[in-house]
C-alpha cells in the first residue's frame, strides 16, 4: 500500500474517532447520531456542484448504502447506551474487517498477499484485545455490537464497489451522505416529536456540523483508498481509529487506561507496520 494512501487512511481514522467521541460524550446518543449524519450532508452540499455526477451504475449502490447507514447509526446509538465503549467499539470495529477478510476473496475476487493478510489480522487482533478491558459487558451490548459489525462489513462492500463504479469516489461519498440524515431525522421526529428534535438541533447544531464534516471526510478518504488498494486491507487499516479513540479517552477525557489498552496499541501499531511493508 503506497505511503500516501496509508497516511490519508490514518487521518480518516483520526476523524472517525473524533466524531464517535462526540456521540459518546452526548446526553442523547440517538439524536446526536442523527445530527452528525445531518452535519455530514450539510458539509457535502457546497461541493456537489464542483464534482461530476456518479456514473448511472453507481446510483443503486447509493440507495442501498443509505439504508445501511441508517441502520448503522441507529445501532451505534443503541450499542453505546447498552454497553461500555471499551467493549462495544472494539467489537464493532474489529469484527467488521475480520468478516471482510474472510469473504472478500469470493465476493470481490481480491486475493491478499501473505503480508497484507498478516497485517490485517494483526490489526484485528489488536482491536479485539481491547474487549478484554470491559469486564462488565452485557450480552445485549455484545449482540448489538456484532450485529453492527455485520452492517459495517455490508456497507463497506456496497460502497467499495459503488465508489469504483461511480468514476469519482469523492462525488460518490458526498451524494451518498444526503439520504441517511433524512431517514434518521424522520424516524427521530416520529418517535420523539418535532419539538424535542428541534430543541436538540438548536442547542447542538455546531456539534453535528463538526462531527458530520469529520464523518464524511473520514469515510470519503476510506472510499478513495479502496479505489487504490484492496478493500479488506483498507478496512483493517481504517480501524486503527481505535488508537486515536484511546488517546482521546486518556488525554482529553482523563480516563484511566488499563494494560489491555496499551497492549492493543502495540499490536495495532505492529499491524500497521506490517501492512506498510507488505
Amino acid at each position: 500500500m503506497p505511503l500516501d494512501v496509508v497516511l490519508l487512511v490514518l487521518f480518516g481514522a483520526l476523524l472517525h474517532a473524533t466524531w464517535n467521541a462526540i456521540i459518546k460524550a452526548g446526553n442523547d446518543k440517538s439524536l446526536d447520531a442523527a445530527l452528525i449524519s445531518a452535519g455530514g450532508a450539510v458539509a457535502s452540499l457546497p461541493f456537489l456542484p464542483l464534482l461530476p455526477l456518479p456514473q448511472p451504475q453507481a446510483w443503486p449502490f447509493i440507495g442501498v448504502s443509505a439504508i445501511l447507514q441508517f441502520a448503522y447509526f441507529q445501532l451505534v446509538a443503541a450499542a453505546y447506551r447498552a454497553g461500555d465503549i471499551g467493549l462495544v467499539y472494539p467489537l464493532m470495529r474489529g469484527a467488521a474487517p475480520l468478516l471482510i477478510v474472510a469473504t472478500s476473496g469470493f465476493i470481490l475476487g481480491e486475493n491478499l498477499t501473505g503480508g497484507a493478510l498478516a497485517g490485517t489480522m494483526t490489526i484485528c487482533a489488536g482491536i479485539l484485545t481491547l474487549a478484554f478491558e470491559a469486564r462488565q459487558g452485557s450480552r445485549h451490548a455484545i449482540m448489538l455490537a456484532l450485529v453492527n459489525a455485520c452492517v459495517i462489513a455490508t456497507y463497506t462492500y456496497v460502497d467499495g464497489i459503488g465508489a469504483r463504479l461511480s468514476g469519482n469516489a469523492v462525488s460518490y461519498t458526498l451524494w451518498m451522505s444526503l439520504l441517511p440524515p433524512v431517514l434518521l431525522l424522520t424516524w427521530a421526529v416520529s418517535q420523539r416529536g418535532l419539538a424535542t428534535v428541534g430543541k436538540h438541533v438548536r442547542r447542538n447544531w455546531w456539534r453535528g456540523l463538526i462531527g458530520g464534516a469529520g464523518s464524511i471526510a473520514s469515510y470519503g478518504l476510506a472510499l478513495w483508498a479502496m479505489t487504490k488498494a484492496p478493500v479488506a486491507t483498507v478496512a483493517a487499516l481504517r480501524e486503527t481509529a481505535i488508537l486515536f479513540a484511546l488517546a482521546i479517552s486518556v488525554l482529553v477525557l482523563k480516563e484511566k487506561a488499563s494494560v489491555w489498552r496499551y497492549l492493543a496499541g502495540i499490536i495495532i501499531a505492529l499491524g500497521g507496520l506490517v501492512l506498510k511493508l507488505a
Side-chain angles (χ1 to χ4, degrees), residues 11 24 48-49 74 88 92 114 120 157 159 161 193 205 256 266:
F11 178 63
K24 181 59 181 175
L48 291 177
Q74 293 281 47
V88 170
M92 283 194 301
T120 299
Y157 274 131
D159 290 335
I161 297 170
W205 63 267
K256 270 190 175 180
I266 293 172

Side-chain angles (χ1 to χ4, degrees), residues 51-59 62 162 165-168 171-173 175:
L51 295 167
L53 285 172
Q55 295 296 316
Q57 57 267 37
W59 287 102
I62 291 175
L165 293 174
S166 70
N168 188 301
S171 178
Y172 178 93
T173 305
W175 281 101

Side-chain angles (χ1 to χ4, degrees), residues 71-73 75-76 79 92 96 143-153 155:
Y72 165 71
F73 276 106
L75 286 167
V76 164
M92 283 194 301
M143 183 60 64
L144 286 170
L146 293 178
V147 169
N148 211 17
C150 294
V151 173
I152 293 167
Y155 77 59

Side-chain angles (χ1 to χ4, degrees), residues 2 27 42 96-97 103 129 184 196 205 218 242 250 256 259:
N27 295 323
V42 171
T103 57
T129 298
L184 287 163
T196 299
W205 63 267
S218 169
I242 192 64
V250 173
K256 270 190 175 180
V259 65

Side-chain angles (χ1 to χ4, degrees), residues 86-88 90-91 125-137 260 264:
L87 173 69
V88 170
L91 286 176
I127 294 169
L128 292 175
T129 298
L130 290 167
F132 288 105
E133 180 181 321
R135 307 290 181 128
Q136 307 298 324
W260 293 109

